[in-house]
């Protein structure tokens, strides 16, 4: 798996959930399908009068989530900004040609109320619940960065094996200290709660 494959899967899904935060700090989620994928960038259309547009213009931070029928979760985290003025018409025309239903929503020149945003610097988290053990991996594109998450086992480990025995994904391997296989970790925290010497640390 890689970032480019994840983008292809998002394209197949079609309708994606876009999460933002409004002026009051309240989470907001919209389903967006007016999207175009171009290499490592994502372009999407919305109307300038929508709250969604105002939130993107004032902050720009966005998370995009897609879920496949194979139980794959793909989460893209980045910052959206308006595409350059000289490219707006090109991307609007491209998205309207790829999504014919938009001509019914914004007929004729009413499409001019729209604005194209682009996401070029982002991270992607791929999380597959359809395999055993589960599989997760993170990727970056452009100037995106990955925030470390999950758990690790410190040198305080006494090798009692309680964490490994109670791991639902069997992703903790013996050693000194025991080791969590991060690609297979569910981030459930069971090892963290059950360790008798508090050797498990949250990342």
């Amino acid at each position: 798996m890689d970032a480019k494959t994840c983008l292809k899967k998002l394209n197949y899904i079609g309708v994606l959930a876009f999460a933002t935060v409004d002026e009051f700090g309240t989470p907001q989620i919209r389903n967006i399908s007016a999207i175009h994928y171009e290499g490592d960038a994502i372009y999407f259309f919305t109307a300038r009068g929508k709250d969604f547009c105002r939130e993107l213009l004032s902050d720009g931070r966005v998370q995009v989530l897609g879920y496949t029928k194979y139980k794959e979760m793909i989460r893209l985290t980045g910052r959206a900004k308006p595409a350059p003025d000289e490219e707006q018409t090109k991307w609007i025309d491209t998205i309207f040609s790829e999504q014919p239903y938009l001509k019914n929503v914004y007929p004729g020149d009413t499409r001019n109320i729209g604005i194209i945003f682009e996401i070029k610097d982002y991270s992607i988290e791929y999380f597959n619940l359809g395999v055993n053990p589960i599989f997760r991996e993170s990727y970056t594109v452009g100037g995106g960065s990955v925030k470390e998450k999950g758990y690790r086992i410190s040198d305080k480990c006494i090798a009692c094996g309680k964490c490994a025995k109670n791991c639902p994904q069997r992703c903790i391997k013996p050693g000194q200290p025991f080791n969590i296989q991060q690609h297979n970790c569910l981030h459930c925290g069971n090892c963290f709660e059950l360790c008798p010497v508090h050797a498990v640390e949250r990342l």
Side-chain angles (χ1 to χ4, degrees):
M1 190 60 59
D2 55 29
K4 189 168 290 188
T5 304
C6 286
L7 288 183
K8 287 182 181 178
K9 288 178 179 287
L10 290 177
N11 193 9
Y12 294 147
I13 294 168
V15 180
L16 306 179
F18 279 62
T20 58
V21 177
D22 67 17
E23 60 187 305
F24 306 107
T26 305
Q28 302 290 336
I29 298 177
R30 284 90 172 178
N31 287 329
I32 304 294
S33 60
I35 307 168
H36 172 73
Y37 299 85
E38 184 74 21
D40 291 331
I42 292 179
Y43 296 86
F44 61 96
F45 173 95
T46 190
R48 291 191 299 273
K50 290 182 176 288
D51 290 341
F52 180 44
C53 181
R54 288 197 293 274
E55 290 155 14
L56 292 171
L57 289 172
S58 66
D59 189 304
R61 290 177 299 166
V62 65
Q63 276 199 335
V64 182
L65 182 68
Y67 198 70
T68 76
K69 65 179 181 179
Y70 302 108
K71 309 305 179 188
E72 300 165 290
M73 185 277 294
I74 301 169
R75 180 167 51 208
L76 184 154
T77 302
R79 190 172 293 273
K81 62 181 182 179
D85 290 343
E86 64 273 16
E87 296 182 10
Q88 286 286 327
T89 298
K90 177 182 75 171
W91 295 126
I92 288 176
D93 290 345
T94 298
I95 289 176
F96 271 66
S97 69
E98 292 175 349
Q99 304 287 346
Y101 80 93
L102 288 171
K103 295 174 184 176
N104 297 323
V105 182
Y106 297 99
D109 290 341
T110 64
R111 69 170 65 181
N112 294 330
I113 191 60
I115 180 173
I116 297 292
F117 284 89
E118 63 182 14
I119 308 175
K120 288 189 171 180
D121 301 315
Y122 55 89
S123 63
I124 291 179
E125 182 179 9
Y126 175 80
F127 186 27
N128 191 340
L129 289 169
V131 295
N132 188 274
I134 63 94
F135 176 79
R136 73 186 322 136
E137 203 164 47
S138 295
Y139 321 100
T140 60
V141 175
S145 61
V146 173
K147 182 180 179 182
E148 204 172 18
K149 295 186 291 186
Y151 299 87
R152 64 176 291 273
I153 301 175
S154 72
D155 290 336
K156 293 191 293 186
C157 173
I158 58 173
C160 68
K162 192 169 186 178
C163 58
K165 180 181 178 182
N166 290 280
C167 175
Q169 291 298 309
R170 306 173 310 284
C171 73
I172 302 177
K173 304 304 179 186
Q176 190 57 47
F178 273 46
N179 181 263
I180 299 173
Q181 307 298 299
Q182 297 296 334
H183 289 346
N184 306 123
C185 180
L186 198 58
H187 295 178
C188 68
N190 205 32
C191 56
F192 178 80
E193 293 188 2
L194 294 176
C195 179
V197 295
H198 307 293
V200 182
E201 301 173 343
R202 192 188 302 272
L203 295 175

